[in-house]
Amino acid sequence: MARTNILLEFNRLQNEVSELDTPAAQVRKIVDSVSEIIGTDVCTLYLKDQHDDMVLVSSHGLVDTGPVSIPAGRGLVGLVARERHALNVARASAHPNFFYVEGTAEERFESFCGVPLVHYGKVIGVLVVQRTGAVALDSDSEALLITLCSQLAHIVADMPVTLQGAHINTYIGGVRGSSGIGIGQGVLCDHGELFSVADEPCTDVEAAIAEWHALLHKVRAELEHEESLLSAQLPTQASSLFHTYSSLLADHALIQQVESEIRNGNWLPGALRKSIHYFANLFLEMEDPYLRARHEDIHHLGNKLYASLQGKNALAERIASVQQVILIGDQVSISDIAAVPSDKLAGIICFEGSSMSHTAVLANALGVPAVMGIGVLKHLRSRERFIVDGNTGRIVRYPNDRLCSEFQQLINEERLLLDKLSALRDLPAITPDDHEIRLLTNSGLLADLSPGRKHGAQGIGLYRTEIPFLVRDSFPSEQEQVDVYGEVFKAYAGMPVYMRTLDVGGDKQLPYFPITDEENPALGWRGIRFSIDNIQLLMTQVRAMLRAGGTTGDLHVLLPMISAAEELNSFNELLSEALRQLGEEGYPVRRPRVGVMVEVPAAISQLPFWRNRIDFVSIGSNDLTQYLLALDRNNSRVASRYDSLHPAVIHEINRTVVIARDCGLALSLCGEMAADPLAVILLIGMGITTLSMSAVKLPRIKYLIRKLPQQRAAQILKQCLTLDSAQDIRAVLNVELQKLELTELIK
Ligand code: PEP
Ligand code: MG
């Protein structure tokens, strides 16, 4: 290009940039124009952040992989910034400082010319141009680029340093699900939202188009099948929905739009997201309110197509090459969690839910950090890096290396604390004034049996039998259940095992027996109610428990959600019948102890009536709090109100302890309160002698108990029973922990 044109070109660029009103559009214009002026395939702008890392702000020609930040001083970009002069090489990958930016498909571009952007003597960024051929930029073009950059520096100097429009180290607040910190790569669960899907390069356009047509065909067939199944009961509105879906699927505009997105280089999920977004917006802009509302149908159809596409891409396949997995989804299901080997699962992020959702409860049991209720994360890149901070209930999106190493430091400190506590493994949980507390563990997956043993659990205080049911695609047979429960008795030989009968319903839906038509699932067909109405399932389960326990296993059968004597009577009859049958069949079995969960508040006043029909009670403080406070444990909107330290909960638990003692009933507590050091002060004060909790929390609670005299706990309880707010109760308990120098326990 003739030198006389340089200034003209620059003035044109400057004018065009000043016409644009967002920094994102301005930098986009700059990289597009520079690429055009110099005649290169790629032009990328990096700006320095406050840590001197080089943040990719905008690029023409590189695949948009999402946030890219090159650590200070690294790579050719770092070299240009450090040495403050242009670097022009024919073959970038052969340079000793080469640093490959993963996923950008940068390897296609051989040559590299980087020029520092200097503003008042300071390097504020680097502009890079690249070409496919291994030929360095000619000296005229290099000079042109240097001249352009000297002017550009002043335009970009005041622009915010953001990663392709998204700020680095973006904190997003949610609700604490399970404590601990995890760093890893995000993997979207099967039922992920289409709008969370990222753009990715399409490697084989024809194959992707064929896949798109196959998908259309498959979803059409699925819709027809669903409609035929439901046609008898369908109200006309729902039936017309099927009709709407089918006609949308047949619409050429949609079919072609997806095809053209694929031809533009996007993979099928990205092409689908863009097209669905486009059509949904068309409807949203319509004046007619009926037509406007149809945008939701399009969105639903998009999710349906995406779910069907995901179906053949099992989670196990997608996590195969990921080292540390952060599972992400609306509500990450128990079967998703089970699909990831425990040493790979670094964290869980749920768009919905709260700390008491069963996902959170299971994450706690497994010691996996989890943050709930953060709202939908859009445009997730594949393998995007996340930090899950379950201690504060936040996640960090686009964390840079520096922040990751700060969080890694916290993970290391946490490990050190656990190491210190592991010395207590074989010591009893005994208060300084000689009150011994039995510490049991909550379990449900075979994978969490050994952590309990490792942390010194004296038995299983709650075995959630629904978990093995939830991770399958059909009801397990009696023998399959005998095998699973047999493992539990084997792992805890000679120790008590409290096995709870199936507690499905509410937020625990069996994939093969969904109960989706309830207005209030938490008040619906749950726990013992479901089991009694499906007596064949209960009979099979009880037979399996008895067979697995045999005459040596210390089986305690625990009944969930009991609220009426009839439920207890039905169960006891069934138990007698199961014992009779198995005896006749020649199995060596014996009558187990039977107890009820106190989690529906109605059970509390009824304990004296049931005393001769049960042997023990176990307080389920998670549901007891939900039902006492009328606060859905799974609803992130009310999560901050859900508090087991609410005075009403403390009073009712205390009342239960007193009634059980008067009735001569053994009592334990197996909700999450048992793992909360603050709550445990009160529980010890009430005189509770058995607590069951997730294995990873057990050492902390033992440490607390060994420092806390029971008499002191009783005094604190007395004081707290006079208070009328959870906040005040928490303040008193915090002061006590400080006095005991135990605040490190409540991270
Ligand atoms: C409870 O409700 O406290 C309990 C232990 O059971 P789950 O959390 O499984 O409902
Ligand atoms: Mg419960």
Side-chain angles (χ1 to χ4, degrees):
M1 177 179 297
R3 270 167 194 263
T4 46
N5 285 344
I6 299 175
L7 265 182
L8 268 181
E9 286 296 342
F10 181 73
N11 284 341
R12 181 172 65 89
L13 171 60
Q14 196 173 25
N15 279 340
E16 284 175 356
V17 167
S18 65
E19 293 283 285
L20 301 168
D21 41 28
T22 66
Q26 291 175 333
V27 287
R28 182 81 229 174
K29 184 84 212 164
I30 290 170
V31 291
D32 288 346
S33 304
V34 172
S35 185
E36 187 194 323
I37 296 169
I38 310 284
T40 57
D41 301 306
V42 173
C43 176
T44 311
L45 174 65
Y46 293 89
L47 289 181
K48 234 186 214 180
D49 71 5
Q50 73 271 34
H51 303 301
D52 291 347
D53 294 342
M54 283 295 183
V55 175
L56 192 160
V57 173
S58 193
S59 175
H60 169 101
L62 283 190
V63 171
D64 175 1
T65 60
V68 168
S69 166
I70 301 179
R74 297 280 301 276
L76 300 184
V77 172
L79 186 67
V80 170
R82 194 171 63 231
E83 300 202 334
R84 290 171 292 182
H85 63 80
L87 176 71
N88 186 6
V89 292
R91 207 181 281 280
S93 57
H95 193 285
N97 285 54
F98 180 68
F99 174 86
Y100 176 62
V101 181
E102 219 178 304
T104 53
E106 197 186 11
E107 64 276 22
R108 288 183 294 144
F109 307 106
E110 294 269 19
S111 73
F112 172 102
C113 182
V115 178
L117 296 166
V118 179
H119 185 60
Y120 294 120
K122 282 204 174 117
V123 176
I124 56 162
V126 171
L127 192 83
V128 174
V129 293
Q130 289 170 279
R131 282 186 183 144
T132 40
V135 182
L137 222 56
D138 61 81
S139 52
D140 271 2
S141 298
E142 186 184 333
L144 174 61
L145 190 64
I146 292 171
T147 315
L148 272 178
C149 285
S150 62
Q151 304 289 334
L152 274 178
H154 302 288
I155 301 184
V156 296
D158 296 326
M159 286 186 178
V161 181
T162 60
L163 291 161
Q164 308 238 8
H167 291 269
I168 48 167
N169 294 341
T170 307
Y171 283 84
I172 303 174
V175 181
R176 291 156 57 146
S178 164
S179 60
I181 292 165
I183 304 173
Q185 291 175 305
V187 176
L188 201 59
C189 294
D190 289 349
H191 19 264
E193 253 266 331
L194 175 64
F195 284 174
S196 299
V197 163
D199 292 335
E200 300 240 355
C202 178
T203 44
D204 184 340
V205 169
E206 292 316 319
I209 289 178
E211 193 180 10
W212 165 227
H213 284 274
L215 178 67
L216 283 168
H217 188 71
K218 183 173 156 211
V219 172
R220 267 185 217 126
E222 280 172 12
L223 282 172
E224 273 167 30
H225 180 63
E226 284 170 22
E227 190 176 4
S228 70
L229 282 182
L230 295 172
S231 56
Q233 322 131 26
L234 271 183
T236 18
Q237 256 183 338
S239 141
S240 73
L241 186 66
F242 278 105
H243 188 70
T244 311
Y245 283 170
S246 303
S247 39
L248 283 170
L249 281 181
D251 191 329
H252 287 293
L254 174 68
I255 299 173
Q256 279 162 9
Q257 179 80 13
V258 174
E259 277 186 21
S260 95
E261 290 291 347
I262 294 173
R263 289 198 194 285
N264 284 341
N266 210 340
W267 68 327
L268 177 52
L272 188 58
R273 188 203 76 235
K274 275 198 165 163
S275 311
I276 291 289
H277 187 69
Y278 171 78
F279 284 105
N281 272 354
L282 282 187
F283 277 88
L284 254 182
E285 281 160 14
M286 290 182 181
E287 290 213 344
D288 180 316
Y290 174 80
L291 289 176
R292 211 171 32 242
R294 300 282 61 76
H295 83 275
E296 280 184 13
D297 295 339
I298 299 189
H299 188 172
H300 287 155
L301 179 70
N303 274 340
K304 195 166 180 52
L305 285 159
Y306 180 54
S308 188
L309 183 65
Q310 292 272 302
K312 72 184 184 48
N313 241 339
L315 187 60
E317 258 171 59
R318 282 180 286 132
I319 59 159
S321 56
V322 181
Q323 303 229 305
Q324 291 291 288
V325 176
I326 305 279
L327 279 179
I328 303 177
D330 283 356
Q331 291 190 2
V332 173
S333 75
I334 290 173
S335 52
D336 294 326
I337 296 175
V340 186
S342 51
D343 57 338
K344 260 193 171 197
L345 186 55
I348 295 172
I349 299 175
C350 287
F351 302 160
E352 296 171 3
S354 75
S355 61
M356 285 302 133
S357 305
H358 280 95
T359 307
V361 169
L362 184 62
N364 259 302
L366 294 170
V368 177
V371 174
M372 318 291 293
I374 55 154
V376 176
L377 292 177
K378 294 201 170 167
H379 302 273
L380 287 169
R381 326 276 164 177
S382 74
R383 315 240 179 123
E384 184 177 323
R385 184 159 66 165
F386 282 94
I387 296 174
V388 178
D389 181 356
N391 298 336
T392 60
R394 294 183 302 175
I395 65 161
V396 190
R397 220 175 158 181
Y398 320 125
N400 62 8
D401 289 351
R402 201 172 303 261
L403 194 70
C404 285
S405 51
E406 281 165 21
F407 272 92
Q408 186 60 47
Q409 181 65 25
L410 295 176
I411 296 177
N412 298 346
E413 282 170 18
E414 171 84 10
R415 283 197 191 126
L416 279 179
L417 175 67
L418 281 182
D419 280 353
K420 181 171 121 188
L421 297 181
S422 67
L424 303 179
R425 184 190 180 280
D426 297 319
L427 297 178
I430 193 158
T431 64
D433 51 353
D434 262 358
H435 287 262
E436 185 155 3
I437 312 295
R438 198 166 55 140
L439 297 186
L440 309 177
T441 187
N442 294 350
S443 170
L445 285 173
L446 290 182
D448 61 17
L449 287 178
S450 57
R453 298 286 288 125
K454 190 174 124 209
H455 293 299
Q458 296 164 279
I460 296 193
L462 170 62
Y463 184 79
R464 291 182 167 99
T465 58
E466 57 276 8
I467 293 178
F469 278 68
L470 288 166
V471 299
R472 297 170 47 95
D473 44 25
S474 61
F475 283 112
S477 68
E478 182 175 313
Q479 187 54 47
E480 281 170 317
Q481 291 184 56
V482 172
D483 293 344
V484 174
Y485 306 155
E487 292 292 326
V488 181
F489 285 110
K490 201 161 91 194
Y492 285 82
M495 294 184 226
V497 173
Y498 290 66
M499 273 199 178
R500 185 169 74 182
T501 59
L502 200 60
D503 184 17
V504 289
D507 69 332
K508 288 184 280 195
Q509 292 287 335
L510 291 173
Y512 42 91
F513 197 137
I515 309 160
T516 50
D517 54 352
E518 294 187 314
E519 291 247 337
N520 290 306
L523 305 182
W525 218 21
R526 252 200 82 175
I528 196 72
R529 306 165 186 178
F530 175 87
S531 294
I532 286 179
D533 291 347
N534 292 281
I535 200 88
Q536 76 290 9
L537 298 178
L538 185 59
M539 179 56 105
T540 306
Q541 182 172 46
V542 171
R543 281 175 54 99
M545 286 181 183
L546 294 171
R547 281 178 55 194
T551 50
T552 51
D554 191 2
L555 171 64
H556 293 57
V557 179
L558 183 53
L559 306 174
M561 299 286 294
I562 291 273
S563 61
E566 290 78 7
E567 293 160 344
L568 206 49
N569 298 344
S570 301
F571 179 79
N572 277 336
E573 272 168 37
L574 178 139
L575 176 63
S576 301
E577 171 64 10
L579 283 163
R580 186 193 63 74
Q581 291 174 8
L582 291 170
E584 281 178 16
E585 290 166 37
Y587 287 105
V589 287
R590 69 167 179 216
R591 193 172 194 94
R593 285 168 206 266
V594 173
V596 296
M597 298 277 297
V598 173
E599 52 187 352
V600 179
I604 303 173
S605 64
Q606 299 305 296
L607 292 179
F609 297 102
W610 301 345
R611 65 200 298 173
N612 296 326
R613 279 169 274 182
I614 54 175
D615 303 294
F616 65 92
V617 298
S618 184
I619 300 176
S621 55
N622 307 340
D623 277 316
L624 188 60
T625 305
Q626 151 163 275
Y627 295 124
L628 274 172
L629 304 184
L631 283 169
D632 181 351
R633 64 191 264 186
N634 203 33
N635 183 340
S636 44
R637 288 200 190 119
V638 292
S640 62
R641 293 188 161 87
Y642 178 105
D643 192 343
S644 294
L645 291 181
H646 188 293
V649 179
I650 304 302
H651 275 270
E652 288 308 290
I653 292 181
N654 193 38
R655 188 158 81 96
T656 309
V657 174
V658 173
I659 295 175
R661 196 179 294 140
D662 290 349
C663 295
L665 290 168
L667 178 139
S668 58
L669 186 142
C670 63
E672 294 304 304
M673 277 179 97
D676 173 2
L678 295 182
V680 167
I681 299 179
L682 298 177
L683 302 177
I684 300 295
M686 292 174 196
I688 293 183
T689 53
T690 303
L691 295 172
S692 187
M693 69 206 74
S694 70
V696 278
K697 297 287 171 55
L698 202 142
R700 289 167 199 258
I701 299 302
K702 190 185 273 188
Y703 191 57
L704 165 69
I705 290 169
R706 290 175 60 86
K707 294 227 167 186
L708 174 73
Q710 199 276 337
Q711 273 195 358
R712 176 73 193 137
Q715 281 168 0
I716 298 164
L717 171 70
K718 204 165 160 202
Q719 184 188 355
C720 288
L721 287 173
T722 66
L723 301 175
D724 67 357
S725 100
Q727 213 180 336
D728 294 349
I729 293 176
R730 185 164 274 109
V732 170
L733 296 169
N734 268 318
V735 169
E736 194 57 26
L737 268 198
Q738 269 163 22
K739 282 194 203 148
L740 291 167
E741 295 178 0
L742 290 176
T743 40
E744 63 181 337
L745 294 186
I746 48 170
K747 280 203 187 123

